[in-house]
Amino acid sequence: MTNVTRAHKKVSTQLSHPWSAKADWLQSATGILLGLFLLLHMHFESSILLGKEAFYQVVQLLEGGMFSPSGHGFPLVTKVFSVFMLLVVILHAALALRRFPAQLGQWRALRTHMKNINHKDTHAWFWQLVTGFILFFLVPAHLFTMIMNPEIGPHLSAERVYHDNAWLLYALLLPAVVIHAMIGLYRVALKWGLSSRRTALSNVAKMLITYLLCLGAASLITYLFIGSELGTPVQPFVPK
């Protein structure tokens, strides 16, 4: 008889590292934080549509003006919060890079998959991927501006937009961040079972994208008009 010797090799059945699930959760958590912040930020910013006085009061409130004897807020608050948001963005981007196609072949496979399988969620994920890549460059530029020059006000913000030509940055940032954030919140809601009504969630995401784009565009145009009327050097707005 012939003796057959079999070498038994232990094969790991673990498909992913335990950190992967934690990274998914952390990516979703930071995404929700950034998405909700965007909703609040755009509405605070759009108070300029109600007039210079309204925007000035909102800024003083957010910068802790109620704790100042003069009633004027502390720009340091904006600087510190901008640093915090930059750290959150870096963490979120680092976690998202795990899913990013790193090779040309992966991009081709993705495009082929999208062509052969016309699935709306796949297309949504693709656009979130594209906008995420754009935001990787635009968001730090915006936050660094706020860190280096945290002074905010009807005139000072308009000066940044018009005289410093920041309108170009914001014109690119606005559609990218709105589309990325709303698709992200939609996908998180489905992924973690917050809602199973896919069609309803998709419609809400589309309505929010349209609404926020209109709101942001109106605010940006208002800053451009205010900036065009300001002489140099620009003086901070003083309420009546």
Side-chain angles (χ1 to χ4, degrees):
M1 296 179 64
T2 303
N3 294 326
V4 179
T5 304
R6 292 186 175 90
H8 297 279
K9 182 179 180 180
K10 185 177 181 180
V11 179
S12 175
T13 58
Q14 188 176 10
L15 299 179
S16 61
H17 195 276
W19 165 246
S20 181
K22 296 179 181 179
D24 279 343
W25 180 89
L26 192 56
Q27 180 183 346
S28 296
T30 53
I32 291 173
L33 176 61
L34 292 170
L36 295 179
F37 167 74
L38 175 68
L39 289 170
L40 293 174
H41 176 63
M42 290 196 65
H43 284 88
F44 289 143
E45 198 72 34
S46 66
S47 61
I48 193 65
L49 298 175
L50 302 177
K52 296 180 183 181
E53 180 76 29
F55 181 68
Y56 177 85
Q57 295 301 333
V58 168
V59 172
Q60 303 318 308
L61 175 65
L62 295 177
E63 291 188 340
M66 71 286 292
F67 301 111
S68 171
S70 64
H72 192 277
F74 303 95
L76 179 63
V77 174
T78 298
K79 176 177 288 193
V80 172
F81 191 75
S82 296
V83 171
F84 170 73
M85 293 308 299
L86 180 60
L87 294 176
V88 175
V89 168
I90 292 173
L91 177 59
H92 182 73
L95 294 169
L97 283 175
R98 300 174 303 120
R99 310 292 188 185
F100 202 89
Q103 300 176 353
L104 181 59
Q106 293 175 328
W107 278 103
R108 289 174 177 171
L110 175 60
R111 295 295 297 173
T112 301
H113 176 75
M114 292 176 60
K115 183 178 180 180
N116 295 335
I117 302 177
N118 188 20
H119 192 265
K120 293 182 179 180
D121 279 6
T122 302
H123 287 270
W125 179 81
F126 173 77
W127 284 111
Q128 192 182 24
L129 190 69
V130 172
T131 53
F133 177 77
I134 296 172
L135 293 176
F136 185 80
F137 301 96
L138 298 184
V139 171
H142 171 56
L143 290 175
F144 273 122
T145 300
M146 301 310 302
I147 293 171
M148 301 303 296
N149 185 17
E151 292 285 347
I152 302 175
H155 289 177
L156 298 177
S157 296
E159 178 188 22
R160 182 182 296 113
V161 171
Y162 183 81
H163 292 282
D164 296 340
N165 294 314
W167 65 267
L168 179 57
L169 170 64
Y170 297 141
L172 297 173
L173 179 62
L174 175 62
V177 72
V178 168
I179 292 173
H180 184 85
M182 294 305 103
I183 291 178
L185 291 177
Y186 160 77
R187 296 183 66 240
V188 165
L190 289 177
K191 179 175 182 177
W192 298 104
L194 301 179
S195 176
S196 59
R197 302 176 62 183
R198 188 181 300 269
T199 301
L201 280 177
S202 177
N203 291 334
V204 170
K206 291 176 182 177
M207 287 189 292
L208 283 174
I209 289 174
T210 302
Y211 164 68
L212 292 175
L213 286 178
C214 292
L215 185 68
S219 301
L220 183 58
I221 292 172
T222 302
Y223 285 117
L224 284 171
F225 275 118
I226 294 175
S228 66
E229 297 173 350
L230 297 175
T232 54
V234 174
Q235 299 299 319
F237 174 80
V238 178
K240 296 179 181 179

